[in-house]
Amino acid sequence: MGGAHFAFTDRWGGVSAVPYEELNLGGAVGDDPAAVRANRERAARSLGLDPALVVWMNQVHGRDVAVVDGPWRAGAEVPAVDAVVTARRGLALAVLTADCTPVLLADPVAGVAGAAHAGRPGLVAGVVPAAVEAMVALGAEPGRIVARTGPAVCGRCYEVPAGMRDAVSEVVPSARAETSWGTPAVDVVAGVHAQLAQAGVAGGLRSAVCTLESRDHFSYRRDRVTGRLAGYVWLE
Ligand SMILES: [Zn+2]
């Protein structure tokens, strides 16, 4: 039985120029593709991973899950999904974010890992429970799944119109929040952990970092044109 590994990047240590400085890992945000390739390579090596064995998604704020047993075939179109799961040890799953919640999951006993991208739409659509379900289909047990959520915009910063807060909290009551200045807000991280608990995945750890408040992290809401952070999960 091999261990589970979880990692979240910050914005430093890469080669991208302003406004993507420095470690932008997102390929669809306007940055120089050569810089993104170099950054992905650098990040993988720093984690002891083969860059060719990291699976990236084409994220679209939905709830579809891809089951993978290896890297995407060269030249093939990367599927539009917001979660990916695998039963292959040594294969790393990566999720890109800049305020959305990166969710990493692993059942080290079954050897099944999952990564999900949960923004407000993904929370409402249920991408995280869908990822857990896909892992269970591969032999994982919810009670054994270890969960981590990474740097994301916090509930005290994520202001939304009142109607939007109502719509979200109708589906996920735990996501109802208020900004530090007293207006309606959504707490996606709290919502994700409530969904995990409901799926039988308890005790997941959450990053204390709010991307919007941290100058060491990319934040779409703060900067609009900016880079993407990555979360990685893999099993030995
Ligand atoms: Zn915050």
Side-chain angles (χ1 to χ4, degrees):
M1 176 186 119
H5 295 266
F6 307 91
F8 295 103
T9 62
D10 60 35
R11 72 182 296 165
W12 306 121
V15 301
S16 290
V18 175
Y20 306 104
E21 78 281 16
E22 297 169 347
L23 190 68
N24 167 44
L25 298 164
V29 293
D31 193 4
D32 173 10
V36 177
R37 267 197 305 279
N39 287 341
R40 286 183 174 188
E41 176 132 358
R42 196 179 275 221
R45 301 264 181 233
S46 79
L47 297 171
L49 293 169
D50 177 348
L53 291 179
V54 178
V55 177
W56 302 90
M57 295 176 265
N58 173 20
Q59 300 167 187
V60 293
H61 291 284
R63 63 157 280 155
D64 287 344
V65 185
V67 181
V68 295
D69 58 8
W72 307 119
R73 251 173 263 127
E77 202 178 319
V78 175
V81 295
D82 288 274
V84 62
V85 300
T86 190
R88 181 168 156 201
R89 293 183 185 273
L91 187 68
L93 310 177
V95 51
L96 293 166
T97 59
D99 290 339
C100 289
T101 305
V103 186
L104 305 180
L105 305 163
D107 177 343
V109 178
V112 177
H117 162 248
R120 180 180 42 78
L123 175 72
V124 172
V127 67
V128 173
V132 172
E133 203 174 297
M135 288 176 68
V136 168
L138 291 177
E141 281 182 20
R144 277 197 312 238
I145 293 176
V146 181
R148 298 276 184 277
T149 56
V153 63
C154 82
R156 295 178 309 281
C157 289
Y158 190 3
E159 183 177 49
V160 296
M164 188 178 281
R165 179 175 70 174
D166 289 344
V168 173
S169 52
E170 203 167 292
V171 182
V172 191
S174 309
R176 189 178 187 88
E178 196 168 273
T179 60
S180 55
W181 54 100
T183 58
V186 167
D187 189 333
V188 175
V189 177
V192 162
H193 282 276
Q195 287 180 326
L196 283 169
Q198 200 162 14
V201 181
L205 297 183
R206 60 189 78 185
S207 165
V209 173
C210 168
T211 44
L212 194 141
E213 294 173 74
S214 167
R215 293 287 163 181
D216 297 322
H217 294 77
F218 298 118
S219 170
Y220 175 76
R221 279 179 82 90
R222 182 185 62 221
D223 298 327
R224 295 293 154 177
V225 179
T226 190
R228 293 294 179 273
L229 309 160
Y232 300 81
V233 59
W234 71 100
L235 287 154
E236 257 169 47

PDB file of all heavy atoms in Angstrom, residues 154 157 210 213, ligand 1:
ATOM      1  N   CYS A 154     -12.241  33.037  -0.003  1.00  0.00           N
ATOM      2  CA  CYS A 154     -12.970  32.651   1.207  1.00  0.00           C
ATOM      3  C   CYS A 154     -14.371  33.255   1.228  1.00  0.00           C
ATOM      4  O   CYS A 154     -14.699  34.143   0.446  1.00  0.00           O
ATOM      5  CB  CYS A 154     -12.180  33.044   2.457  1.00  0.00           C
ATOM      6  SG  CYS A 154     -12.366  34.756   2.971  1.00  0.00           S
ATOM      7  N   CYS A 157     -14.902  36.979   1.494  1.00  0.00           N
ATOM      8  CA  CYS A 157     -14.500  37.806   0.349  1.00  0.00           C
ATOM      9  C   CYS A 157     -15.362  37.598  -0.890  1.00  0.00           C
ATOM     10  O   CYS A 157     -15.383  38.444  -1.774  1.00  0.00           O
ATOM     11  CB  CYS A 157     -13.057  37.494  -0.047  1.00  0.00           C
ATOM     12  SG  CYS A 157     -11.831  38.077   1.128  1.00  0.00           S
ATOM     13  N   CYS A 210      -6.737  32.388   1.638  1.00  0.00           N
ATOM     14  CA  CYS A 210      -7.737  32.992   0.760  1.00  0.00           C
ATOM     15  C   CYS A 210      -6.976  33.622  -0.405  1.00  0.00           C
ATOM     16  O   CYS A 210      -6.137  34.498  -0.209  1.00  0.00           O
ATOM     17  CB  CYS A 210      -8.538  34.047   1.487  1.00  0.00           C
ATOM     18  SG  CYS A 210      -9.550  35.051   0.359  1.00  0.00           S
ATOM     19  N   GLU A 213      -7.100  37.393  -0.819  1.00  0.00           N
ATOM     20  CA  GLU A 213      -6.373  38.169   0.186  1.00  0.00           C
ATOM     21  C   GLU A 213      -4.866  37.968   0.119  1.00  0.00           C
ATOM     22  O   GLU A 213      -4.114  38.753   0.714  1.00  0.00           O
ATOM     23  CB  GLU A 213      -6.860  37.769   1.594  1.00  0.00           C
ATOM     24  CG  GLU A 213      -8.304  38.144   1.867  1.00  0.00           C
ATOM     25  CD  GLU A 213      -8.778  37.582   3.200  1.00  0.00           C
ATOM     26  OE1 GLU A 213      -8.369  38.121   4.245  1.00  0.00           O
ATOM     27  OE2 GLU A 213      -9.554  36.607   3.196  1.00  0.00           O
TER      28      GLU A 213
HETATM   29 ZN    ZN B   1     -10.868  36.118   1.799  1.00  0.00          ZN
END
